[in-house]
Amino acid sequence: MKLSIRIFLFCLLCGALSAAWDSNRNIQPAAGTFGHQKQDQPEGQEPPDVLQEKQSFREPLSWRYPDPPPEEEPRFPPDFELKAPVAPDSVSAVCGENSVRVEAKMDLLGIGKPVLAADVTLGGCPATGEDPEAQVLIFESELHGCGSQLLMSEDSFIYAFTLHYTPSPLGDSQIIRTRDVTVSIQCHYQRKHDVSSGLLKPIWRPLSVTKASEESLYFSIKLMTDDWQSPRPSTQFLLGDMMKFEVSVRQFHHIPLKVTVDSCVATVVPNIDTVPRYAFLGNNGCLFDSQLTHSSSQFLPRSQDDKLQFEVEAFRFQQDDSGVIYITCSVKATAASAAVDATNKACSFSNGWREASGSHQVCTCCDTDCGSGSHNQLAGTGSQWEQETSVGPITVKERPLQ
């Protein structure tokens, strides 16, 4: 009995499976579904018997990526403090009467690493020495050397220098670890003379003071018009113009005097101890400009003892766009009765040296050294009158192209 029941149940199960199989043979898969695609069969052949039905999910997936953890604020130590940069005390200077000495520590930047000596200059001048024990570089220069600039305040002359540090490249890399550094250095000196950009007419006192109240002299140097009849109202010139100067001495209660010019220097500021500078007249009255530059500069023939006229072809300093110059001359007065000699003359060069008074033989020393000689003296006082006199500023502009 049990066996018959089992056979009956098995037959029922086989019948159900057969019916399901027959129904599935007529199902065609949809286009784009997972399973076998329907293929064109040659005529007379049946399609494949096995097809796979696409699996589907009746409920949506509930899983998702977890949210990232919240960012935390950075935590610094409670005593943490950013260090403010402090300028290192690594440069010192000592200003002398005519020179300056600058000492720069090898650890110029204050970071514990020495710099290369070749990377440090004083206005373009390399170090003149090095102290290995003190670990310092030494720079020494005259006040008007190493690219110094002269500045003036109401009561001081100021010579300004600049210490430059330009680090060498770090091999072939494109990185830097230090930057260019400049340190300004100034030497201050008390002014001993008043300097003005206008016409100067100082009152000079003789070295002998026995008759100081009766022997005051007034020296002047001024620009003149082309006809030499009056002072020139303008101090502007074009390159190639002739600047005409008249030097004179006014005397009161004094014997007749003769004025000469020992030397003249052109600068860009009213002080001869600066650079650039051009000494176009010197050696006790020799006008070099015409000989050095083949210009037309010259002394004019002397017409009066107390006046001397000369003209200089206008010029500018290279790499100075302002075109401003100052002329400072050392002017001297001696007794008019004294003879012209090597130390009291007015010589200019034009196919040879010529003297303004006609005593051309005294100009032969202009190509060598006229020396100090024995100066003419004033009426037995045992002294002579000599001092610097200036005019400026003079502006020289470029001549416009035609």
Side-chain angles (χ1 to χ4, degrees):
M1 182 68 180
K2 291 181 180 180
L3 179 62
S4 61
I5 293 174
R6 289 177 180 176
I7 294 172
F8 175 76
L9 292 174
F10 178 77
C11 291
L12 289 176
L13 178 60
C14 289
L17 291 173
S18 177
W21 177 261
D22 292 339
S23 63
N24 287 337
R25 292 181 63 185
N26 297 324
I27 297 175
Q28 299 296 329
T33 61
F34 179 79
H36 293 284
Q37 301 293 328
K38 183 178 180 180
Q39 299 179 355
D40 294 336
Q41 299 294 329
E43 188 176 355
Q45 292 187 10
E46 293 295 328
D49 295 335
V50 180
L51 295 174
Q52 182 175 355
E53 184 180 6
K54 179 182 179 182
Q55 182 181 7
S56 62
F57 297 97
R58 298 184 180 279
E59 294 182 0
L61 292 175
S62 61
W63 183 87
R64 63 178 181 176
Y65 286 101
D67 294 331
E71 295 185 1
E72 296 183 358
E73 294 292 332
R75 296 180 180 180
F76 296 106
D79 58 347
F80 178 79
E81 199 174 295
L82 290 174
K83 294 182 179 180
V86 179
D89 184 16
S90 56
V91 179
S92 62
V94 177
C95 299
E97 183 177 354
N98 301 308
S99 61
V100 61
R101 176 188 173 93
V102 178
E103 294 187 357
K105 294 181 180 178
M106 296 292 290
D107 183 15
L108 181 68
L109 306 179
I111 57 176
K113 295 182 179 180
V115 298
L116 295 177
D119 293 346
V120 187
T121 63
L122 181 66
C125 297
T128 57
E130 183 177 340
D131 188 342
E133 294 184 1
Q135 287 290 294
V136 295
L137 297 173
I138 301 171
F139 300 84
E140 293 182 328
S141 170
E142 296 180 353
L143 292 179
H144 54 76
C146 291
S148 68
Q149 290 185 331
L150 176 63
L151 309 174
M152 288 186 291
S153 64
E154 185 176 352
D155 56 358
S156 298
F157 287 119
I158 304 170
Y159 289 89
F161 295 83
T162 303
L163 187 76
H164 297 276
Y165 167 64
T166 305
S168 300
L170 297 176
D172 296 330
S173 67
Q174 299 181 1
I175 66 170
I176 59 173
R177 288 196 171 95
T178 57
R179 61 180 181 86
D180 293 0
V181 175
T182 59
V183 180
S184 178
I185 300 167
Q186 294 184 350
C187 292
H188 292 245
Y189 298 88
Q190 185 176 359
R191 290 177 63 171
K192 297 181 180 180
H193 302 285
D194 292 330
V195 178
S196 172
S197 61
L199 183 65
L200 299 182
K201 292 185 177 181
I203 299 177
W204 308 115
R205 301 292 183 182
L207 298 179
S208 173
V209 296
T210 55
K211 296 184 178 180
S213 62
E214 300 178 3
E215 296 181 345
S216 298
L217 300 181
Y218 293 83
F219 288 91
S220 71
I221 179 172
K222 53 190 176 183
L223 288 167
M224 301 295 290
T225 57
D226 290 343
D227 59 4
W228 297 96
Q229 297 302 308
S230 58
R232 196 175 195 270
S234 173
T235 59
Q236 291 190 4
F237 295 88
L238 298 177
L239 287 174
D241 289 346
M242 298 302 294
M243 301 183 295
K244 301 180 184 296
F245 299 93
E246 183 178 88
V247 178
S248 62
V249 57
R250 295 176 61 188
Q251 56 202 48
F252 300 91
H253 309 289
H254 208 289
I255 62 172
L257 298 175
K258 179 186 295 181
V259 64
T260 56
V261 181
D262 272 358
S263 62
C264 284
V265 175
T267 54
V268 295
V269 293
N271 185 275
I272 62 173
D273 294 324
T274 58
V275 289
R277 61 197 304 269
Y278 175 43
F280 59 88
L281 196 158
N283 205 3
N284 296 113
C286 300
L287 184 56
F288 299 122
D289 185 67
S290 55
Q291 185 186 41
L292 296 175
T293 65
H294 306 289
S295 68
S296 301
S297 303
Q298 63 176 343
F299 281 106
L300 269 64
R302 186 187 291 272
S303 59
Q304 297 178 229
D305 286 334
D306 60 351
K307 289 183 180 180
L308 182 62
Q309 298 169 334
F310 64 96
E311 52 188 10
V312 178
E313 193 170 331
F315 60 88
R316 296 165 57 124
F317 284 102
Q318 293 182 5
Q319 300 178 349
D320 178 55
D321 296 332
S322 68
V324 174
I325 58 175
Y326 292 81
I327 305 296
T328 304
C329 297
S330 178
V331 182
K332 181 171 59 179
T334 55
S337 58
V340 177
D341 61 15
T343 59
N344 297 281
K345 60 188 183 301
C347 299
S348 50
F349 188 86
S350 178
N351 295 323
W353 290 101
R354 312 292 291 178
E355 209 278 326
S357 301
S359 303
H360 308 311
Q361 71 280 359
V362 300
C363 299
T364 55
C365 66
C366 284
D367 290 325
T368 55
D369 182 9
C370 295
S372 57
S374 58
H375 295 281
N376 292 323
Q377 297 178 345
L378 293 179
T381 62
S383 64
Q384 69 175 22
W385 304 75
E386 184 176 5
Q387 193 59 288
E388 290 180 353
T389 309
S390 303
V391 61
I394 299 171
T395 303
V396 180
K397 298 183 177 182
E398 293 183 356
R399 188 173 294 275
L401 297 177
Q402 297 296 335

